[in-house]
Amino acid sequence: MKEKIFVSACLLGEEVRYHGGDAKLEHFKLDQWKEEGRIVSLCPEVSSGFPIPRAPHEIIGTGSGNAVLEGQARIRTKSQMDHTDQFVKGAEIALKICRENNIKMAILKEGSPSCGSYEVYDGRFKGKKILGRGVVAALLSNSGIHCFSEHQIEEAAQFLQKLEMQESL
């Protein structure tokens, strides 16, 4: 059985980002995985009820999805509208889908307060990124799902190969 891969919907060309566009990723590995039926896709923000387009959001506080999950940071718009609960709901939906599909890896949109795997915006709405994970990346990682950004397709492919080698033993 081929391993499934969770992928942020915007990376597959779905126009679900906050500004109404996509972040389509062109990579032969992604195309191969699509053809093989491995991809399970979702926009956690849209799945939790956010409209398209929507105001940009950033993690306020520590810049960490883990802090959001622990109740120590919030996710807000520049005008301070708090949508933390909706972001957590989207993360929970993503985790549920991953568990239903026995997914062990994800490729997520870097920089997003939901999907940022290694970087998120710093909470000051000035375009500066800091080290940290979005709430989806944090919840998936905490649940044993390895998260990669769209800049790490080769690393993701190597991880997938190792997974499948281990399972064939």
Side-chain angles (χ1 to χ4, degrees):
M1 188 169 112
K2 294 185 181 205
E3 289 288 334
K4 298 278 188 185
I5 305 163
F6 183 85
V7 179
S8 296
C10 63
L11 297 176
L12 298 175
E14 292 186 39
E15 295 178 338
V16 293
R17 295 198 64 215
Y18 72 94
H19 52 60
D22 64 47
K24 187 169 172 95
L25 178 61
E26 299 287 344
H27 196 285
F28 76 94
K29 280 290 184 189
L30 200 57
D31 294 337
Q32 176 188 340
W33 295 333
K34 277 192 253 181
E35 287 176 25
E36 293 172 350
R38 294 178 183 266
I39 304 291
V40 176
S41 174
L42 175 81
C43 173
E45 293 173 21
V46 172
S47 74
S48 72
F50 277 111
I52 306 165
R54 58 192 167 276
H57 289 74
E58 294 187 13
I59 299 173
I60 309 298
T62 65
S64 162
N66 280 323
V68 171
L69 294 171
E70 295 165 3
Q72 298 171 355
R74 308 298 292 173
I75 302 178
R76 296 187 176 137
T77 64
K78 190 173 186 175
S79 65
Q80 297 303 307
M81 294 287 297
D82 190 313
H83 294 115
T84 304
D85 292 342
Q86 205 164 344
F87 275 84
V88 171
K89 178 182 174 186
E92 290 168 346
I93 292 167
L95 178 59
K96 181 177 186 248
I97 287 172
C98 287
R99 285 183 171 157
E100 289 170 353
N101 289 279
N102 196 31
I103 290 173
K104 298 178 184 80
M105 63 181 288
I107 299 172
L108 305 172
K109 176 67 185 123
E110 193 64 88
S112 161
S114 288
C115 295
S117 299
Y118 298 96
E119 290 183 324
V120 292
Y121 288 94
D122 70 359
R124 292 184 284 172
F125 295 90
K126 298 200 185 265
K128 183 180 180 215
K129 290 182 185 177
I130 58 172
L131 290 178
R133 290 188 167 168
V135 69
V136 171
L139 186 60
L140 295 183
S141 293
N142 294 345
S143 300
I145 298 166
H146 198 93
C147 296
F148 298 91
S149 80
E150 75 267 29
H151 308 296
Q152 298 178 301
I153 299 299
E154 294 303 322
E155 292 93 333
Q158 290 172 2
F159 182 80
L160 178 63
Q161 186 177 26
K162 286 178 187 174
L163 272 179
E164 291 186 332
M165 284 176 60
Q166 290 171 352
E167 289 182 5
S168 68
L169 297 177

